[in-house]
Amino acid sequence: MTRQYDNTLPIQVEDLTVAYREEPVLWDVDVQIPASTLTAIVGPNGAGKSTLIKAILGLIEPSAGQILIYGKPYSEQRQQVAYVPQRGSVDWDFPTNALDVVLMGRYGRLGWLRRPGGKDRQLALDALDKVGMSAFANRQISQLSGGQQQRVFLARALVQDAQIYLMDEPFQGVDATTERAIVEVLKALKAAGRTVVVVHHDLETVPEYFDRVLLLNVRLLASGPVAQVFTPENLKKTYGSRNETVLHGIDGGSPSANGAKEANHGRVADAQPDLH
Amino acid sequence: MDVLQTLSLIFTDYTLRNVALGAAILGIVSGALSTFAVLRKQSLLGDAVSHAALPGVVLAFILTGLKTPLVLMVGAVIAGWIGVTLVSLIVRETRVKYDSALGIVLAVFFGLGMVLLTWLQGQNNAGQSGLDHFLFGRAAAIVQSDVITMAALGGVVLLVTALFWKEFKILSFDGQYAATLGFPVRWIDTLLTTLIVVAVVLGLQMVGVVLMSAMIVAPAAAARQWTDRLSLMLILSSTFGALAGVGGAVISSLTSGLPTGPTIVLCISAIVIVSLLFAPNRGIVWGGLRGRRNRRELQQAMLLEKLYDASTRNNGQSQPVESLRFILSGGRLEDALGVLAGQGLIAPETGDRWALTPTGIEAARSLQAPGGIRSSTLFSNPKEAAL
């Protein structure tokens, strides 16, 4: 039997298994992500959330299965996909400024030997503006706060002007201003018909920020609209019944799992995302 | 011989001119490439490459019987390149970590090189004499054809670096992201590593395999202290490399018995030490001074606020010095009060008491406003940078 490959479906993952050494990190995962949706990937540590994103991006060679972007392999669809890596994955002491990092988002379209020009700079400045960071364009990146660094990474992805956005824990350890800016950008992306997949840790905000959820713990335990899939039973299956405290957070609205958020000092203008 | 005379010799004396030119090329090229080696946390790569190059030099001579610089350099590049490829292979295919893999390759190749060199010296082959200069480098042996070879190779290395600037930059900052954009990261990595290998080999004849690694670390480490821009860092790094190269090579060739490699390395080390100590922002001295000034300003602001709080509680009365002893003790309290008085924020009153001036009250209020501590004019550098 041959499967049907739907070239209107942004992301189609079939029978994906990934193993780093002997242990599988992802086991037989099937996922379909429909267009113009905001999807959260949740699951405990080591569940393979980042691995799934990296496999979709072709950064990790799967042991089995395949991944299609609009019906074709990633290598043919790079222009359609933008990536926001974890903030901790780079050395922020690199000698460069915020604008320069955002400009890197244009490198893929420039091709070999060409340097970014005035048009690219304008696009990069616009992207910084969308995340409320235009005042920091010339700031050395090591002098930005964690949340500001995260917004620079987000702007770098926005400047790619892709159809699909894959983000690895963009909300991790950011201040309230940044959290709001990211949420605004997510909404604007969805309104513009883009498809967004986000690795997310804060279960409490899943129903508020996302319309679809993907529950992952090596195996895919459930995926679909938040209202149908984000249930205590499914969460218990994903996290195991040991982790009662995490689960209570969602039913009852007990103390926030993300209570360590920094207070917002209101220095940065609110993000004004308007995606064309 | 005085300094001016010596300097004029660089332009008139044949040997000295070659030495100075060769050292300048070596410094510029290794300085440029060291920028990427240091930023990619591959500082020790140069060490592995230079040691791994020794057997290549000796084997190239054994196979061809020639001591032409180009022949020996090709041997060195091939051996150095095999060395770094082995390092990546070991890291990828085994659980041995990067630093251990470097150590293994360095030791094995250098050992092999020393065995070959010693064996060759026992062969009574007069032609081999001079190969041992590759251990510590010998500037005086540089002739015009060497300089031309170095200039050509160095020019190619710099040209390729300029052409692939954007690729090398994104690879160094965020290689994984570069891969998602479609850059063939492995290929760019290999190209950059090859350039580093060539840069190292360029310097072997002058600096020697033992100390050449310094030229792939030190210039960039010093340059990073002075700038926050990649392009400027590369230019500074090249400049430092050239200064140290010319300085060291000229000193050693004018003084009998001074080995070239170590002298050049001492020169670049001096530049590194000055940079670590005195560079603005990153320098130790600057940081220490700033820390002290910060602490003093914080103490002064605290004193001001304490005085303000106490006087609001007591209907604007002045406060005795004794009530402030908890914040600062001894002469430091008097010093801080003196500074505040000098700024017109407080004024002394009889009986060792202090009162806020109207400006002082204003400053204390702005300190207590929301976000006031971050924006207060009491601090010479705004605190928002650390936000």
Side-chain angles (χ1 to χ4, degrees):
Chain A
M1 188 188 92
T2 51
R3 294 194 198 218
Q4 285 299 301
Y5 297 125
D6 182 352
N7 57 14
T8 61
L9 200 59
I11 301 173
Q12 190 172 11
V13 176
E14 299 281 349
D15 307 324
L16 179 70
T17 291
V18 176
Y20 282 126
R21 295 259 173 204
E22 295 84 16
E23 292 263 298
V25 188
L26 288 175
W27 181 260
D28 197 12
V29 171
D30 294 288
V31 177
Q32 272 137 32
I33 311 250
S36 194
T37 54
L38 301 178
T39 303
I41 304 179
V42 299
N45 288 331
K49 304 184 294 290
S50 298
T51 304
L52 177 58
I53 281 202
K54 286 181 180 169
I56 295 172
L57 287 160
L59 293 173
I60 293 171
E61 183 85 17
S63 310
Q66 64 175 330
I67 297 150
L68 298 169
I69 306 292
Y70 291 113
K72 290 185 190 146
Y74 179 76
S75 54
E76 296 171 29
Q77 300 280 38
R78 286 184 210 283
Q79 307 276 2
Q80 313 283 356
V81 187
Y83 174 44
V84 180
Q86 285 187 21
R87 175 161 43 93
S89 64
V90 302
D91 177 8
W92 289 92
D93 197 34
F94 196 84
T96 192
N97 61 30
L99 179 66
D100 234 20
V101 172
V102 178
L103 270 175
M104 288 180 188
R106 299 291 304 165
Y107 284 12
R109 288 176 190 253
L110 290 175
W112 292 99
L113 311 183
R114 284 191 45 217
R115 304 277 174 92
K119 182 178 151 255
D120 300 301
R121 286 178 64 86
Q122 195 49 55
L123 287 167
L125 285 168
D126 291 349
L128 275 172
D129 194 41
K130 283 173 194 158
V131 296
M133 287 289 292
S134 31
F136 297 86
N138 294 315
R139 183 69 66 86
Q140 157 66 19
I141 53 172
S142 65
Q143 290 179 2
L144 298 171
S145 72
Q148 291 169 337
Q149 291 171 346
Q150 187 65 61
R151 280 184 276 161
V152 169
F153 260 10
L154 188 60
R156 183 177 70 172
L158 288 180
V159 93
Q160 288 180 248
D161 194 25
Q163 289 300 318
I164 300 169
Y165 285 81
L166 301 174
M167 308 185 184
D168 203 345
E169 303 204 12
F171 292 105
Q172 183 71 33
V174 301
D175 54 282
T177 313
T178 300
E179 180 142 355
R180 252 185 298 144
I182 299 174
V183 169
E184 289 305 312
V185 167
L186 293 185
K187 284 182 184 157
L189 284 170
K190 189 193 165 182
R194 314 299 165 91
T195 307
V196 186
V197 180
V198 177
V199 173
H200 196 56
H201 257 305
D202 182 15
L203 292 178
E204 213 184 338
T205 51
V206 167
E208 191 188 335
Y209 294 168
F210 299 98
D211 40 38
R212 293 176 67 86
V213 67
L214 215 145
L215 294 157
L216 194 69
N217 191 354
V218 184
R219 294 167 186 276
L220 181 70
L221 292 138
S223 79
V226 172
Q228 291 165 31
V229 173
F230 200 60
T231 60
E233 303 87 77
N234 277 340
L235 284 165
K236 216 165 265 179
K237 271 197 266 170
T238 312
Y239 286 87
S241 49
R242 273 185 307 131
N243 215 336
E244 294 291 338
T245 43
V246 181
L247 304 181
H248 281 172
I250 341 149
D251 305 327
S254 60
S256 164
N258 206 7
K261 276 174 207 159
E262 283 179 37
N264 164 26
H265 295 294
R267 253 191 180 274
V268 183
D270 276 344
Q272 294 287 331
D274 59 320
L275 288 153
H276 21 268
Chain B
M1 202 186 316
D2 72 30
V3 182
L4 276 178
Q5 257 181 308
T6 313
L7 285 178
S8 70
L9 276 181
I10 293 178
F11 301 101
T12 53
D13 183 90
Y14 172 81
T15 314
L16 209 51
R17 193 183 56 205
N18 286 331
V19 167
L21 273 175
I25 295 164
L26 142 80
I28 289 169
V29 177
S30 59
L33 270 299
S34 73
T35 307
F36 292 107
V38 165
L39 289 177
R40 300 186 68 204
K41 306 189 176 24
Q42 294 184 332
S43 300
L44 290 175
L45 186 72
D47 214 9
V49 172
S50 62
H51 283 79
L54 185 62
V57 171
V58 184
L59 276 174
F61 172 75
I62 291 175
L63 291 177
T64 63
L66 296 171
K67 275 196 296 185
T68 329
L70 196 61
V71 170
L72 300 185
M73 277 186 191
V74 168
V77 167
I78 292 172
W81 201 83
I82 291 174
V84 287
T85 311
L86 269 178
V87 171
S88 340
L89 260 179
I90 292 172
V91 172
R92 207 179 320 136
E93 302 299 332
T94 72
R95 295 197 176 198
V96 176
K97 297 280 179 285
Y98 184 68
D99 55 339
S100 311
L102 279 178
I104 295 166
V105 167
L106 183 155
V108 169
F109 275 66
F110 188 58
L112 182 66
M114 285 307 286
V115 167
L116 287 172
L117 195 59
T118 316
W119 173 79
L120 200 60
Q121 282 167 337
Q123 291 298 300
N124 265 336
N125 176 350
Q128 58 78 28
S129 74
L131 279 185
D132 55 342
H133 288 148
F134 275 89
L135 281 180
F136 290 108
R138 216 187 107 166
I142 301 280
V143 295
Q144 197 163 17
S145 65
D146 297 335
V147 175
I148 292 168
T149 312
M150 287 176 79
L153 270 175
V156 171
V157 169
L158 292 181
L159 182 71
V160 176
T161 308
L163 285 176
F164 290 91
W165 176 256
K166 157 173 120 280
E167 284 76 14
F168 290 165
K169 183 175 180 176
I170 195 169
L171 175 76
S172 305
F173 178 62
D174 195 349
Q176 212 161 52
Y177 179 73
T180 71
L181 292 179
F183 287 102
V185 168
R186 200 118 133 209
W187 194 90
I188 302 171
D189 185 20
T190 307
L191 179 65
L192 182 52
T193 307
T194 307
L195 295 185
I196 292 176
V197 171
V198 176
V200 168
V201 169
L202 270 185
L204 285 187
Q205 202 184 353
M206 286 191 110
V207 179
V209 298
V210 178
L211 288 167
M212 186 55 203
S213 66
M215 296 305 285
I216 292 293
V217 184
R224 183 67 187 92
Q225 290 290 106
W226 300 92
T227 177
D228 278 335
R229 274 177 53 197
L230 182 62
S231 49
L232 209 55
M233 180 178 167
L234 185 133
I235 290 167
L236 271 179
S237 185
S238 285
T239 311
F240 290 157
L243 279 176
V246 173
V250 169
I251 292 170
S252 76
S253 58
L254 289 177
T255 321
S256 63
L258 268 193
T260 315
T263 312
I264 291 179
V265 169
L266 284 182
C267 287
I268 193 68
S269 306
I271 296 176
V272 170
I273 290 168
V274 169
S275 304
L276 287 178
L277 285 176
F278 300 111
N281 291 320
R282 287 180 166 252
I284 294 169
V285 172
W286 209 85
L289 287 177
R290 187 177 42 181
R292 239 173 65 173
R293 195 183 57 193
N294 261 352
R295 199 161 51 243
R296 288 204 175 139
E297 286 171 354
L298 284 173
Q299 291 164 349
Q300 290 155 17
M302 276 186 74
L303 282 176
L304 192 74
E305 190 174 275
K306 270 281 171 340
L307 278 171
Y308 176 74
D309 287 347
S311 74
T312 25
R313 276 199 303 274
N314 300 308
N315 304 320
Q317 270 186 15
S318 59
Q319 296 301 313
V321 165
E322 297 318 312
S323 67
L324 302 167
R325 289 263 172 232
F326 285 114
I327 300 176
L328 281 173
S329 54
R332 292 190 302 155
L333 177 60
E334 269 71 33
D335 290 349
L337 288 169
V339 173
L340 286 172
Q343 292 172 344
L345 298 170
I346 59 173
E349 294 196 348
T350 50
D352 243 354
R353 298 172 75 87
W354 290 87
L356 288 165
T357 64
T359 341
I361 292 171
E362 203 55 47
R365 281 194 185 138
S366 76
L367 195 64
Q368 291 190 337
I373 290 179
R374 286 181 195 279
S375 58
S376 171
T377 50
L378 291 170
F379 305 114
S380 39
N381 45 321
K383 298 284 175 284
E384 61 150 24
L387 183 76

